[in-house]
Amino acid sequence: MPLLLSWVDSANFSDCPFPLNNLPCCVFATGDDTRHCAMPIGDHLLNLASLESAGHIVLDGGPLLNGPNWNRFMAAGPAVWAALRAQVQRLLATGAPERILIEPHLVPLAGTKLVMPLEVSEYTDFYAGRHHAFNVGTMFRGPENALPPNWLHIPIGYNGRASSVVVSGSDVRRPWGQIKGPNDEAPRFAPSQRFDIELEMGAIIGTPSENGQPLTVAEADAMIFGYVLLNDWSARDIQAWEYQPLGPFQSKATATTISPFIVMKAALEPFRVSTPTREVPLLPYLVEAEPLLYDIDLEVALTPQSAGETVISRTNYREMYYSAAQQLAHHTTSGCAMRSGDLLGSGTISGPSKESRGSLLELSWGGKEPLVLNGGETRSFLHDHDTIILRGHAKGDGYTIGFGDCTGRILPALSDPYAR
Amino acid sequence: MPLLLSWVDSANFSDCPFPLNNLPCCVFATGDDTRHCAMPIGDHLLNLASLESAGHIVLDGGPLLNGPNWNRFMAAGPAVWAALRAQVQRLLATGAPERILIEPHLVPLAGTKLVMPLEVSEYTDFYAGRHHAFNVGTMFRGPENALPPNWLHIPIGYNGRASSVVVSGSDVRRPWGQIKGPNDEAPRFAPSQRFDIELEMGAIIGTPSENGQPLTVAEADAMIFGYVLLNDWSARDIQAWEYQPLGPFQSKATATTISPFIVMKAALEPFRVSTPTREVPLLPYLVEAEPLLYDIDLEVALTPQSAGETVISRTNYREMYYSAAQQLAHHTTSGCAMRSGDLLGSGTISGPSKESRGSLLELSWGGKEPLVLNGGETRSFLHDHDTIILRGHAKGDGYTIGFGDCTGRILPALSDPYAR
């Protein structure tokens, strides 16, 4: 598919993240926090709430875009998702006769306050990056026992905390927690000293499923509305002490940041790729009949308080061993109902090379090999006032599909968390 | 506190679970699934939605009782909770002049359809029973290494799945899942053969907390609205294969059943007891200034399809090593925001004796010592068509505080979960 041309000229460049081919979903806030569903086109936002209200968009079961987020629209299902995309692509296409009616619904993207595009129902995080699992396993158990015995059979996941999911641009405060070093006699309560990032993609569930009904991989894929960039902030020192035997808990509950734009599955269709070759056969319920992973270039940039940016990792979503559809199918095996607005983190996306690792834990090899940043500072884990930006792009035939930056800045820990 | 007398005569018996002292929160459905907030009194339900609508109940910020569940009321905070309790106790007290106005709002409890009393925002399950942790640890690692090293320092918890929480009376279908026995070469996808119960109490969060703000134990206790009985159904064979390294996932996602009545904290006030003596000192943020556990007698009954009931366990909530307030305080250490409607499972409540164990895994010692039921059948784990009932009672001075039965019946696994 080539670049689709729009009468919004700024959208017609091969490196513009928001051409007519993309049309991701976001929400902007005005005045006293009134929320508007919108889509970026070039350097503008198209206010879909006002467009629908004015009758230029008509959806089955509508109005669906007048709420504070995209949840009601997402629950309406694939036919409605396709209808909106087709209508907006027609209205914004070069030569569209409706241009004069649509222009008043455009607002400049620059300076607009983007807020959470969805209400997260529940948040699940997976552990599906082969290289990440091998790296972390090697650090903890040695290379012979790096992968847990179930890893090649199960898309391992655990439930996270939906209340801690925030939108790009939200500051993230360094957490306190129980920490016990290997040589400490007893744990202490202190700010995390090994606060980390995890570069992930998030899949967002659109149509819900029924309690008691496992889903095939194809059914699961059909329920996925779209994808976001996702940074699963992780306190490694808290994690190390707490995670046995029932998994990570407070180490992962400070914040999870998502990009402000949900890229709809339809926009990613040209970038579908297969998961890597299986090392052992999958059980039939996990086998994919078609490619369900995506070729999306990803990078992580770190900017200290008083120096410029360093790109500390470059990788690609296609490195995942399991697709989001496989993860979602597994998520329902027990009969677990999925709901509109559920968010599934892919797991940390690390490539095979050192510079393609998706966490500081891996990049600094547990702190043993600190990274050297542009400007000379070193990093094993995050320092106060560091800013992290995740970026993602799929490169098409003369166009780019972007997700917007997924940004967070580290605030110092509270000096006394119980002072009131 | 003695029995409070009501003009609803059936409430004035020492063994009635719903005297004027109790007034737990429930929701009943009528006709085309219209939902009504209500409280049981004796053998009747008081329709609070209609009572508030008629102006007999007046609450700050009201109406608060006209929704499909108690969430909006719970979020209103402790002063409003106390106001409702005081008003209902006055209106139902023996000799209340309003009796003639209130009587039309009573409906018989028998035959009424009770539904979910709340919308569960997120569900967290803990592992805070000393005897349970020791029993399970002994089975898996031997008695010397039974307790994980962090157990006496951290109220260990993990995030569960809110979409799978159901109300008492809901059937529970035996799940499929990945299972691999210790001698199997590879996992297979099959119905669980070791499907189990977990006897727990659930604490329900009323007032929300802010992101980034850890809570003291006292602040945490003040946010707790009330308690329910909770059965955390668990597929032990699925759990054994999946839970390393990130904790239980699908093994716990089939269903979690709660009692239909939320007993408000105020009703449990006379039954407060201290947690057991600490074996090692707690970090200061977890220390309780006052008793925050409760003396609540608990039992589990199992009824096979074609035989009578056997009570298979009798224990007490006071066996927990950590209170719900301690668990909640720990839950916020990382800055994790809590929301109205969050549900915290206590962890399995096992006492020190064999007959006080809260799961079949413990009662049958991993299947090695099957239970013999009345009528002669044996059980290691649940059979199809078994019915499980959890019961809980606090015994006061001439009165009883009951939670209602927490019931679930096992349906056979789907013959083909992917048949459509």
Side-chain angles (χ1 to χ4, degrees):
Chain A
M1 179 189 291
L3 173 67
L4 302 176
L5 292 174
S6 170
W7 51 259
V8 180
D9 294 332
S10 58
N12 298 333
F13 294 89
S14 67
D15 59 350
C16 170
F18 305 123
L20 198 46
N21 306 60
N22 192 352
L23 298 178
C25 304
C26 68
V27 173
F28 69 97
T30 52
D32 55 344
D33 202 34
T34 307
R35 311 265 166 143
H36 314 267
C37 288
M39 285 176 165
I41 179 75
D43 55 9
H44 278 70
L45 282 177
L46 183 64
N47 185 333
L48 290 178
S50 65
L51 210 62
E52 188 188 39
S53 164
H56 301 307
I57 296 276
V58 178
L59 299 170
D60 276 356
L64 294 174
L65 302 169
N66 57 349
N69 54 51
W70 284 83
N71 287 60
R72 199 144 52 91
F73 175 82
M74 296 194 302
V80 172
W81 309 341
L84 177 64
R85 226 174 130 70
Q87 290 180 45
V88 174
Q89 286 190 333
R90 184 175 55 73
L91 294 172
L92 292 179
T94 296
E98 297 91 343
R99 173 173 178 169
I100 194 162
L101 298 170
I102 305 306
E103 270 181 328
H105 300 276
L106 288 174
V107 296
L109 178 53
T112 301
K113 185 182 173 193
L114 296 173
V115 296
M116 281 289 286
L118 79 160
E119 181 181 340
V120 177
S121 300
E122 297 193 61
Y123 167 46
T124 311
D125 196 27
F126 285 85
Y127 184 60
R130 175 75 169 86
H131 304 291
H132 171 71
F134 182 79
N135 290 338
V136 172
T138 300
M139 275 183 260
F140 286 103
R141 293 177 294 272
E144 298 77 18
N145 302 305
L147 277 194
N150 52 12
W151 200 93
L152 294 169
H153 301 279
I154 298 183
I156 295 178
Y158 64 101
N159 298 296
R161 180 77 195 176
S163 70
S164 67
V165 181
V166 296
V167 73
S168 174
S170 306
D171 290 336
V172 175
R173 191 173 287 287
R174 181 184 299 278
W176 286 69
Q178 276 204 32
I179 296 168
K180 182 177 172 296
N183 302 319
D184 297 344
E185 270 206 11
R188 65 190 198 285
F189 191 64
S192 171
Q193 297 306 312
R194 291 164 72 93
F195 198 50
D196 197 0
I197 59 163
E198 289 193 340
L199 167 63
E200 304 192 22
M201 298 288 300
I204 291 168
I205 309 308
T207 38
S209 74
E210 293 291 315
N211 190 283
Q213 183 55 70
L215 301 171
T216 66
V217 173
E219 288 167 340
D221 186 59
M223 290 168 56
I224 295 175
F225 174 71
Y227 290 83
V228 290
L229 303 178
L230 185 150
N231 184 352
D232 197 41
W233 306 91
S234 299
R236 301 298 180 193
D237 36 10
I238 298 171
Q239 186 176 355
W241 170 233
E242 77 170 0
Y243 92 107
Q244 286 288 9
L246 298 183
F249 183 49
Q250 288 305 286
S251 55
K252 300 276 195 170
T254 300
T256 299
T257 304
I258 62 170
S259 59
F261 301 102
I262 307 171
V263 175
M264 288 171 72
K265 198 171 46 183
L268 295 172
E269 181 67 26
F271 308 100
R272 285 217 259 165
V273 290
S274 295
T275 46
T277 309
R278 302 292 99 177
E279 300 177 34
V280 299
L282 288 177
L283 283 163
Y285 81 92
L286 283 172
V287 173
E288 297 176 312
E290 54 177 348
L292 294 175
L293 208 54
Y294 299 96
D295 178 2
I296 300 171
D297 286 324
L298 300 166
E299 68 176 37
V300 182
L302 189 158
T303 308
Q305 187 171 23
S306 49
E309 162 179 312
T310 302
V311 173
I312 59 173
S313 178
R314 285 193 177 85
T315 183
N316 192 295
Y317 182 44
R318 66 189 301 167
E319 297 289 352
M320 304 311 293
Y321 194 78
Y322 296 102
S323 68
Q326 288 173 311
Q327 293 171 333
L328 177 53
H330 180 70
H331 205 322
T332 65
T333 47
S334 64
C336 179
M338 304 304 296
R339 298 190 288 198
S340 190
D342 281 342
L343 172 65
L344 272 58
S346 60
T348 305
I349 306 167
S350 294
S353 66
K354 183 169 177 179
E355 55 275 15
S356 64
R357 294 172 184 164
S359 67
L360 286 166
L361 177 70
E362 295 164 85
L363 287 161
S364 74
W365 207 250
K368 290 187 184 136
E369 303 168 17
L371 289 178
V372 180
L373 306 179
N374 301 337
E377 288 189 48
T378 60
R379 284 294 179 280
S380 291
F381 294 96
L382 293 165
H383 287 198
D384 291 345
H385 312 294
D386 282 354
T387 297
I388 289 288
I389 306 180
L390 312 186
R391 301 190 184 101
H393 298 97
K395 281 285 183 188
D397 177 15
Y399 70 94
T400 301
I401 298 289
F403 290 77
D405 289 354
C406 180
T407 304
R409 188 174 51 119
I410 306 301
L411 300 183
L414 294 170
S415 55
D416 174 359
Y418 300 107
R420 295 290 184 269
Chain B
M1 179 189 289
L3 173 66
L4 302 176
L5 292 174
S6 170
W7 52 259
V8 181
D9 294 333
S10 58
N12 299 331
F13 295 88
S14 66
D15 60 349
C16 170
F18 305 123
L20 198 47
N21 308 58
N22 192 352
L23 299 179
C25 304
C26 69
V27 173
F28 69 97
T30 53
D32 55 345
D33 202 32
T34 306
R35 310 265 165 142
H36 314 267
C37 288
M39 285 176 165
I41 179 76
D43 56 9
H44 277 69
L45 282 176
L46 182 64
N47 185 333
L48 290 177
S50 65
L51 209 60
E52 187 188 41
S53 165
H56 301 307
I57 296 276
V58 179
L59 298 170
D60 276 355
L64 295 175
L65 302 169
N66 57 350
N69 54 50
W70 284 81
N71 288 59
R72 200 143 52 91
F73 175 82
M74 295 194 301
V80 172
W81 309 341
L84 176 63
R85 224 173 132 70
Q87 289 181 45
V88 175
Q89 286 190 334
R90 184 175 56 73
L91 294 171
L92 293 179
T94 297
E98 296 91 342
R99 173 173 179 171
I100 194 164
L101 299 169
I102 305 306
E103 271 182 326
H105 300 277
L106 288 173
V107 296
L109 177 53
T112 301
K113 185 183 175 194
L114 295 172
V115 295
M116 279 290 283
L118 79 159
E119 182 181 339
V120 178
S121 300
E122 297 193 60
Y123 168 46
T124 311
D125 196 26
F126 286 85
Y127 185 58
R130 176 75 169 87
H131 304 291
H132 171 71
F134 182 80
N135 289 340
V136 173
T138 300
M139 275 184 260
F140 286 103
R141 293 178 293 271
E144 298 77 17
N145 302 306
L147 277 196
N150 52 11
W151 201 92
L152 294 170
H153 300 279
I154 297 182
I156 295 177
Y158 64 100
N159 298 296
R161 181 78 194 174
S163 69
S164 66
V165 180
V166 297
V167 73
S168 174
S170 307
D171 290 336
V172 175
R173 191 172 287 287
R174 180 184 298 278
W176 286 68
Q178 276 204 31
I179 297 168
K180 181 179 173 295
N183 302 319
D184 297 344
E185 270 207 12
R188 63 190 200 284
F189 191 64
S192 171
Q193 297 306 310
R194 292 164 72 93
F195 199 49
D196 196 1
I197 59 162
E198 290 194 339
L199 167 62
E200 305 191 23
M201 299 286 300
I204 291 168
I205 309 308
T207 39
S209 74
E210 293 291 316
N211 189 283
Q213 184 55 68
L215 301 171
T216 65
V217 172
E219 288 167 341
D221 186 58
M223 290 167 56
I224 295 174
F225 174 71
Y227 290 83
V228 291
L229 303 177
L230 186 150
N231 184 352
D232 196 42
W233 307 90
S234 299
R236 301 299 180 192
D237 37 9
I238 297 171
Q239 186 176 355
W241 171 232
E242 77 171 359
Y243 92 107
Q244 286 288 8
L246 298 182
F249 184 48
Q250 288 306 284
S251 54
K252 300 277 193 168
T254 300
T256 298
T257 304
I258 62 171
S259 59
F261 301 103
I262 307 171
V263 176
M264 287 170 74
K265 198 171 47 182
L268 295 172
E269 182 66 27
F271 307 101
R272 284 215 259 163
V273 289
S274 295
T275 46
T277 309
R278 301 294 97 178
E279 299 177 36
V280 299
L282 288 177
L283 283 164
Y285 82 92
L286 283 172
V287 173
E288 297 177 311
E290 53 178 349
L292 294 175
L293 209 55
Y294 299 96
D295 178 3
I296 300 169
D297 285 325
L298 300 165
E299 69 176 37
V300 182
L302 190 157
T303 308
Q305 187 170 24
S306 50
E309 163 180 311
T310 302
V311 173
I312 59 172
S313 178
R314 286 191 177 87
T315 183
N316 192 293
Y317 183 44
R318 67 188 301 167
E319 298 289 352
M320 303 311 292
Y321 193 78
Y322 296 101
S323 68
Q326 288 173 310
Q327 294 171 332
L328 177 54
H330 179 70
H331 205 321
T332 65
T333 47
S334 64
C336 179
M338 303 304 296
R339 298 189 288 197
S340 190
D342 281 342
L343 172 64
L344 272 57
S346 60
T348 306
I349 306 168
S350 293
S353 66
K354 183 168 178 179
E355 55 275 16
S356 64
R357 296 173 184 163
S359 67
L360 287 165
L361 178 69
E362 296 165 83
L363 287 161
S364 75
W365 208 250
K368 293 188 180 134
E369 302 168 17
L371 289 177
V372 181
L373 305 179
N374 301 336
E377 288 190 47
T378 60
R379 283 294 180 281
S380 291
F381 294 96
L382 293 165
H383 287 197
D384 291 344
H385 311 295
D386 281 354
T387 297
I388 289 288
I389 307 180
L390 312 187
R391 301 189 184 102
H393 298 97
K395 281 283 182 189
D397 176 16
Y399 69 95
T400 300
I401 298 290
F403 290 77
D405 289 354
C406 180
T407 304
R409 187 175 50 119
I410 307 301
L411 301 182
L414 293 170
S415 55
D416 175 358
Y418 300 107
R420 295 290 184 269

